[in-house]
Every structure is written in structure tokens, then in C-alpha cells.
Amino acid sequence: MTAKSVPLSVRVSDEDALFLAELQVPDAVTPSEKLRAILHEARRRHTGMQDASEGGLLLREMATPARRNVRRCEGKLGRKSDVVLKLYERLPDIMARLIAGPNDSASPESLIEFEKEILDQVCVLLKDFVTVGLTSPVRVYGEENFTAEMEAVMELVELVRVHQRNKKGA
């Protein structure tokens, strides 16, 4: 059974009309078909971002062209960055969880669980960065920049340790 379609009339700027005319959408040729495809994709993204797992997949999909471009550039230049790779792997899930929000915002437990999930994911990313720093040679584009940033992070970690020791001893 086909859903009933509702005719719409819209006015768009010349710039948007040109964009729509030049937009390449699989199986969509006419402006109407392209607008339906855009609406379908917007609905898919909207509903998908309500669920953190689905949202992670959607965000990863959105980042795929950029990730491919990075890999293409790396191949041409013979360079690799484990830091950039880890960000492409981990950030979509972190952002999707943040966008989806807590499962039940009325419950303190749901907020605690929400925070725990995000904290777990962020700590995995931090561990990934520390692991990259332990490898030799370090696979980053600018080793000096990475080393300087990681030294600053490690100094902060040491300050936290000293603070915690002092707090326990007080």
C-alpha cells in the first residue's frame, strides 16, 4: 500500500534552486524527487540520533568522505596519523551519545549512567592517545606538536596524583 502524497508548493532562493539542480542524488532526477530524498535523509538522521548506537553509525557515515580524503592525502604523502585515525573511530560514538542524551532525564540514575557512558568513551580515547605516544616511531604528522601536547597532559595527570595524595594525607 502506497502512502498518500501531499502536494506542496515551495519557493526557494536562486542559490538553493541552483544547488538543487546540481545536487547528485541516486535515483532522483527531478527537483521533487531530490527534495523527497533530502526529506527522507533528514528524517533518518533525526530519528537515528535519538539512539546512540544508530547515531554513531550515522555520524561515522557522515565523516566517511572526509576520512577517505585524509587517507588519500596520507597515501600521496606517505604519512599516517594514528591520532587522526583514533578520532575518526571514537568521536562519532561520543558525539552520538551526547546528542541522544540520557535515557530518562527525570531520573538521577539515568544521568549518572549517561555520564558514565561518556566518561568511559572519553577515557578510551585518552588511553588510545597515550598508547600512540608509547609506540616507536610515533605515527603522527607533527611529532613535535604531539609530544608537546602529551607532555602537558602528563603534567596535569601528575598534578592530579599529587593533589589526591595530599587530600588523602590531610
Side-chain angles (χ1 to χ4, degrees):
M1 178 182 228
T2 307
K4 181 180 173 187
S5 60
V6 177
L8 293 177
S9 175
V10 298
R11 295 190 183 279
V12 297
S13 68
D14 289 340
E15 183 181 5
D16 287 342
L18 180 61
F19 169 77
L20 194 59
E22 293 175 349
L23 182 65
Q24 299 296 313
V25 178
D27 302 323
V29 178
T30 68
S32 292
E33 291 169 339
K34 291 177 182 182
L35 282 173
R36 281 191 292 274
I38 290 169
L39 283 170
H40 174 76
E41 182 62 23
R43 184 182 312 108
R44 186 174 81 91
R45 286 187 181 171
H46 175 74
T47 56
M49 294 310 291
Q50 306 301 313
D51 173 71
S53 298
E54 184 66 24
L57 294 172
L58 288 169
L59 290 170
R60 202 169 272 106
E61 180 182 300
M62 289 171 64
T64 296
R67 184 177 180 169
R68 283 187 186 136
N69 186 46
V70 167
R71 290 300 182 208
R72 218 176 357 265
C73 291
E74 287 179 337
K76 286 179 185 175
L77 299 173
R79 309 283 302 270
K80 293 265 188 216
S81 173
D82 289 333
V83 169
V84 172
L85 176 66
K86 295 296 181 186
L87 288 169
Y88 275 117
E89 287 174 1
R90 304 280 185 204
L91 284 182
D93 291 329
I94 294 169
M95 282 304 302
R97 191 67 198 107
L98 286 168
I99 292 168
N103 296 330
D104 177 3
S105 59
S107 159
E109 293 80 17
S110 69
L111 290 176
I112 291 169
E113 182 60 26
F114 174 65
E115 180 184 58
K116 180 187 177 304
E117 290 175 14
I118 293 168
L119 185 60
D120 287 346
Q121 292 175 350
V122 168
C123 285
V124 167
L125 179 60
L126 291 173
K127 289 173 193 174
D128 286 346
F129 281 8
V130 170
T131 302
V132 168
L134 293 173
T135 61
S136 184
V138 177
R139 286 189 353 159
V140 293
Y141 306 140
E143 190 170 345
E144 308 80 27
N145 296 332
F146 178 77
T147 301
E149 292 296 333
M150 287 306 293
E151 283 177 10
V153 168
M154 298 314 285
E155 285 177 22
L156 287 172
V157 169
E158 188 55 36
L159 286 172
V160 168
R161 282 190 181 142
V162 169
H163 177 71
Q164 287 175 337
R165 274 188 241 132
N166 290 342
K167 202 168 147 181
K168 285 180 183 177

